[in-house]
Amino acid sequence: MTKNKKSVNYCYILFLFCFIGFLPTTTLADESSPQLTIEGPSSVIKEGYFNVSVSAKSAQQKLNKLTIEVATDTGFTQNKKQFPALGDFSTISLTGFSDGLYHLRARAETSDGDVLVSNVIQVRVEHYPLWQALTLFFIGLIIFVAVVTTLLLFHRNWTHSRHHSHD
């Protein structure tokens, strides 16, 4: 009977150590997560423009000087572009991207003057091939020429029938 009581005490002690052991890890993970989060497209972009959303961890934080930084490497040593947010927006449209893999992050200042840097996301841009664009262009050209020709023929027949009325 005492052996069973000892094993129950060990279980309680083991449970207590596990419980205490997990407490600091959740607190540390919470502190190391970025205070600013950027989200963007998850699929390949075909048009060269896309939207990104930036949100602060705390809804009460007022972000000043929000800037989206774009680079071709994860270390952001070669910044290609910076897009400042002009206004109080959480979603920003970015445009003017050629084919390639881009890394994006957000940078902002809080009202206290602290600089916040977000997580890094990747966006791949692969435009439609030229043959596809030219095919659509020529299909549109053929339809345009057909409509204009039809209109001119009907107009000619209409004016011809007005001048030569058949009584």
Side-chain angles (χ1 to χ4, degrees):
M1 192 133 171
T2 42
K3 187 173 187 181
N4 192 13
K5 194 173 183 181
K6 278 185 177 181
S7 66
V8 171
N9 286 340
Y10 286 126
C11 287
Y12 283 129
I13 292 171
L14 183 62
F15 174 75
L16 185 63
F17 279 124
C18 289
F19 181 73
I20 291 172
F22 284 118
L23 283 177
T25 56
T26 57
T27 306
L28 289 175
D30 196 30
E31 289 175 2
S32 65
S33 64
Q35 299 289 321
L36 200 60
T37 304
I38 185 170
E39 296 176 358
S42 57
S43 60
V44 175
I45 303 301
K46 294 286 194 181
E47 295 85 15
Y49 63 89
F50 51 88
N51 293 334
V52 294
S53 298
V54 179
S55 59
K57 187 174 184 181
S58 171
Q60 293 86 7
Q61 276 185 327
K62 174 79 172 138
L63 300 176
N64 301 323
K65 298 180 184 176
L66 177 63
T67 303
I68 307 297
E69 297 176 341
V70 180
T72 54
D73 62 331
T74 55
F76 286 83
T77 56
Q78 298 174 338
N79 274 349
K80 288 284 219 177
K81 300 176 184 175
Q82 289 189 348
F83 296 90
L86 304 174
D88 190 16
F89 298 106
S90 61
T91 301
I92 302 167
S93 295
L94 303 178
T95 186
F97 290 91
S98 56
D99 289 350
L101 179 66
Y102 298 95
H103 303 278
L104 287 85
R105 70 180 175 192
R107 182 181 297 272
E109 289 183 10
T110 62
S111 54
D112 299 334
D114 297 332
V115 176
L116 302 177
V117 179
S118 73
N119 57 315
V120 176
I121 62 171
Q122 291 183 355
V123 175
R124 178 173 296 282
V125 177
E126 293 177 5
H127 288 88
Y128 290 106
L130 183 60
W131 68 266
Q132 201 172 25
L134 289 177
T135 302
L136 288 174
F137 172 77
F138 284 114
I139 289 172
L141 179 65
I142 290 169
I143 292 172
F144 175 76
V145 169
V147 167
V148 169
T149 304
T150 304
L151 288 174
L152 289 174
L153 286 175
F154 279 134
H155 179 69
R156 182 175 159 216
N157 288 340
W158 180 72
T159 57
H160 181 63
S161 68
R162 280 186 57 204
H163 292 297
H164 300 284
S165 59
H166 302 292
D167 292 329

